Amino acid sequence: MNTPISKEGFIQVNIVVADIKKAAAKWAEILGIEQPPIEKRHLEGGENYTYRGKPISCDLFVCDIQMGNFVLELHEPAGGESSFQEFLDKHGNGVHHLGFEVGDKRDAVIADLEAAGFDTDRTLGIYPGSSWTIVDGEDTLGVNLNIKPKR
């Protein structure tokens, strides 16, 4: 790749689960922490959210557990098509993606991954101050990638 992903940019492990309340409680118990809150988030299809290149709305339950320099992010799909529902249907519970912060190299990283044969249209989300792109890496890397300009 002309623009490699820096390992120092590693920021996230995302795990898709069928029962977020159970998973969050067990993670809190294992880590000896108070269980972080679980939030319901709505992703509205349009120019700010696409799945497989189409504007599709979906809902997710999310629980973020801070782990020092990275976050352990639990997602439970809660309605609508999404990369997370696709993963859960195909694999069951498991690691959906690893997240990397790449700064202003985001477009170059995405272009390099696309040129290398990765599907970069799995998911695109834009939110105030940043964005996230889920790159389909399941067949070659064993996991998807989440490429973000900044957290």
Side-chain angles (χ1 to χ4, degrees):
M1 284 185 44
N2 293 325
T3 311
I5 298 171
S6 170
K7 62 185 177 190
E8 284 76 27
F10 174 70
I11 58 169
Q12 177 185 78
V13 174
N14 174 274
I15 302 174
V16 172
V17 296
D19 184 341
I20 198 166
K21 289 179 183 176
K22 179 180 171 184
K26 280 296 179 189
W27 274 107
E29 179 185 333
I30 288 169
L31 296 171
I33 61 171
E34 185 175 323
Q35 181 181 313
I38 296 169
E39 301 174 3
K40 187 172 185 179
R41 295 188 187 159
H42 177 73
L43 302 174
E44 184 61 39
E47 61 185 49
N48 290 333
Y49 179 73
T50 61
Y51 165 65
R52 298 285 183 200
K54 295 182 263 183
I56 296 191
S57 299
C58 69
D59 294 309
L60 296 169
F61 288 107
V62 178
C63 179
D64 291 335
I65 302 170
Q66 293 300 318
M67 305 283 287
N69 292 331
F70 72 96
V71 65
L72 178 62
E73 182 181 68
L74 304 177
H75 277 180
E76 177 188 333
E81 293 180 69
S82 69
S83 181
F84 310 106
Q85 186 65 61
E86 175 186 337
F87 183 91
L88 189 61
D89 291 345
K90 187 175 179 182
H91 304 289
N93 292 345
V95 176
H96 177 269
H97 68 255
L98 301 179
F100 293 89
E101 182 177 33
V102 298
D104 61 3
K105 296 178 183 176
R106 182 250 178 231
D107 291 346
V109 168
I110 294 298
D112 281 354
L113 289 167
E114 189 170 22
F118 289 94
D119 177 358
T120 59
D121 282 333
R122 185 163 179 146
T123 304
L124 172 62
I126 299 171
Y127 59 94
S130 195
S131 67
W132 50 288
T133 302
I134 301 294
V135 176
D136 196 329
E138 289 179 25
D139 291 341
T140 53
L141 301 173
V143 68
N144 298 303
L145 301 176
N146 182 355
I147 305 300
K148 293 181 153 202
K150 62 181 182 176
R151 297 175 202 229

